[in-house]
Amino acid sequence: MSLRSGVVCSILFAGVVLAQQPTFKGQPTRVVSVFATVTDGQGRLVPNLVKEDFEILDNDKAQPLVFFQDEIQPITVIVMLDTSGSMTASIPLLKSAAEQFLIRLLPADKGRVGAFADNISLSSRFTSDRDELVSAAKDLDYGNGTRLWDAVSLSLDELRGNAGRRVVLVFTDGDDTQSHARLGTVMDRARADEVMLYAIGLESNYFDGQRMVRSKPDSGLKKIADETGGGYFELKKTADLAPTFTRVAQELHSQYVIGFTPPLLDGRVHKLTVRMKQPGMTARARRSYVADPETLSNAK
């Protein structure tokens, strides 16, 4: 199925051993997989590209592509929603917006739904039952404080051990206030585990008991989304929540996966750059990987 239908949503070559891997003749080789979202000058998703449209650089040196995929594959995703006090008035709209993402999951996708404030909650299991996921989103409660990075860290813990492509979709309207985990540590973990993070931030106005306060999303959200190849969307109106959650679902089902053989397995972090050969197109992809022979996939 082509990208007209929607998608590429799973890693065939990743830092884990997957159930389905293409077969290569000859000696075993390590492969780095990279997912790319391609847009045109108007921000529209670009379908029907071919391998020859892409160029990938490892530490600024071009590498030949050994794999290209644009077929539908499943994803495993955790949706983490900020339900802190500043969101109290907007929580019904947030739940409804998250539902727009959940109902667009494909039958082979799996998900869990969580919330964070001063505490973090997470639905009991990964499931492909969209009704169960929507119900879990509707049951989320609110609290005080914003344990943003603890929530992302927990999501990474829960995704570990799941085969295939793994994604965290996080929403917040403010800065982290109470986490033990730090942005740098969480970013390093996401890079090593090859988890893509999408983030939606909202500027909101709320009464803190004494005065009206305007919140602004944590600046670290864009950093970790950029680093892992996800997307970051910063909103000023709650009316934009549902369309943005829908956009994330569309992107996750409209990505290309390309693979190359790393030139040097030195255990270090390597810079990654994906470029488009056709003018007017932009590729968004993760910006680094760890050249570790123990974690990269072993294709034969």
Side-chain angles (χ1 to χ4, degrees):
M1 186 176 296
S2 73
L3 280 172
R4 290 193 183 93
S5 315
V7 164
V8 176
C9 287
S10 174
I11 295 178
L12 291 184
F13 295 104
V16 293
V17 177
L18 304 183
Q20 295 181 344
Q21 291 185 351
T23 301
F24 289 79
K25 295 181 179 180
Q27 295 299 315
T29 183
R30 301 288 193 260
V31 176
V32 177
S33 66
V34 182
F35 284 82
T37 302
V38 182
T39 55
D40 62 17
Q42 286 72 49
R44 297 171 299 196
L45 298 170
V46 181
N48 304 322
L49 297 174
V50 296
K51 182 173 71 173
E52 289 72 23
D53 291 318
F54 292 83
E55 183 179 25
I56 192 162
L57 290 79
D58 181 316
N59 283 344
D60 298 321
K61 295 182 179 179
Q63 304 297 323
L65 299 184
V66 299
F67 182 72
F68 176 83
Q69 182 93 350
D70 68 348
E71 296 177 358
I72 295 176
Q73 297 292 331
I75 62 171
T76 302
V77 59
I78 291 180
V79 180
M80 269 289 181
L81 306 176
D82 181 350
T83 55
S84 59
S86 60
M87 281 297 300
T88 302
S90 301
I91 283 179
L93 281 174
L94 175 61
K95 292 180 178 180
S96 178
E99 181 178 342
Q100 296 305 307
F101 174 84
L102 296 170
I103 64 176
R104 286 170 171 79
L105 292 177
L106 302 177
D109 295 337
K110 296 186 300 181
R112 292 174 74 176
V113 180
F116 61 95
D118 48 350
N119 293 306
I120 303 170
S121 61
L122 191 62
S123 59
S124 61
R125 64 176 188 137
F126 285 104
T127 179
S128 299
D129 187 330
R130 288 174 290 184
D131 290 337
E132 181 178 332
L133 292 169
V134 169
S135 178
K138 290 179 178 178
D139 289 341
L140 297 176
D141 205 352
Y142 63 90
N144 296 304
T146 306
R147 294 178 60 190
L148 169 61
W149 302 124
D150 283 350
V152 176
S153 181
L154 175 63
S155 299
L156 295 175
D157 290 340
E158 296 298 319
L159 285 168
R160 184 168 288 174
N162 284 277
R165 184 154 176 238
R166 293 159 297 166
V167 179
V168 177
L169 169 56
V170 61
F171 165 87
T172 187
D173 72 334
D175 286 317
D176 187 297
T177 61
Q178 297 184 358
S179 286
H180 298 290
R182 293 293 177 261
L183 169 62
T185 302
V186 173
M187 189 179 300
D188 288 343
R189 288 190 58 201
R191 178 194 296 117
D193 292 349
E194 298 191 351
V195 174
M196 179 180 285
L197 189 134
Y198 267 82
I200 300 172
L202 173 69
E203 293 185 9
S204 64
N205 293 296
Y206 68 98
F207 185 68
D208 68 355
Q210 296 180 333
R211 60 189 177 88
M212 290 300 296
V213 177
R214 184 166 185 82
S215 70
K216 188 173 178 62
D218 196 297
S219 61
L221 289 171
K222 186 177 188 309
K223 294 178 182 177
I224 193 169
D226 288 347
E227 179 64 27
T228 62
Y232 174 66
F233 303 88
E234 187 164 311
L235 312 179
K236 297 183 182 297
K237 300 181 298 182
T238 53
D240 293 331
L241 282 169
T244 304
F245 274 89
T246 299
R247 168 73 183 202
V248 173
Q250 291 170 340
E251 285 202 6
L252 286 170
H253 295 120
S254 303
Q255 292 171 330
Y256 300 88
V257 58
I258 53 182
F260 71 97
T261 302
L264 183 63
L265 295 174
D266 55 7
R268 296 181 178 180
V269 176
H270 285 222
K271 175 184 174 183
L272 277 177
T273 306
V274 177
R275 297 194 302 214
M276 305 305 299
K277 295 180 181 178
Q278 294 190 41
M281 294 185 186
T282 302
R284 188 174 71 242
R286 61 183 172 129
R287 296 180 174 180
S288 62
Y289 77 100
V290 181
D292 184 353
E294 298 300 319
T295 59
L296 291 176
S297 64
N298 186 13
K300 296 182 180 181

